[in-house]
Amino acid sequence: MRAKPEYRDRDDVEVAVLDALANRREEGMTVFELRSRVEVDIDALEAALADLKDDGLIEATEEDHRTVIVPEDGVVGPVDPEDDSFIGQIRERLPF
């Protein structure tokens, strides 16, 4: 799973965060898990999380004394199988 196409025109770090969360959308991820998955410095990650939160694309909850981040409903979706464009082909080959 990945972020829906309408959310892919955002900053690269924000898209990487949404894609990482897409794979764990039920259980969510902590900031530390996201940082290891997105591989950016903590300041860039915090800025991306703040922007995504402000835009209503993620939700952060407190679970067992840790903050867990999940994507909001409707942000994550399957890759469009009908997208045979050049960009669609590139998206299929990306590792995340």
Side-chain angles (χ1 to χ4, degrees):
M1 289 279 176
R2 297 177 2 150
K4 288 184 176 177
E6 56 264 33
Y7 302 111
R8 303 200 68 75
D9 63 347
R10 302 180 69 87
D11 176 76
D12 290 343
V13 177
E14 293 177 24
V15 173
V17 167
L18 291 174
D19 284 343
L21 289 171
N23 292 321
R24 303 231 345 239
R25 66 182 185 189
E26 297 299 320
E27 63 271 8
M29 298 177 88
T30 65
V31 172
F32 296 114
E33 291 169 323
L34 279 169
R35 186 167 182 216
S36 70
R37 191 70 192 272
V38 176
E39 297 181 12
V40 296
D41 66 61
I42 193 69
D43 294 328
L45 181 59
E46 286 181 359
L49 290 171
D51 289 343
L52 292 168
K53 177 83 169 138
D54 288 345
D55 292 341
L57 300 179
I58 61 171
E59 179 183 348
T61 58
E62 198 64 36
E63 293 181 10
D64 297 326
H65 304 291
R66 63 187 192 130
T67 301
V68 176
I69 301 159
V70 295
E72 288 288 352
D73 291 338
V75 174
V76 174
V79 175
D80 184 0
E82 300 298 315
D83 187 2
D84 61 352
S85 67
F86 178 71
I87 299 296
Q89 292 173 21
I90 291 173
R91 285 182 182 146
E92 285 180 16
R93 293 189 173 116
L94 291 176
F96 45 89

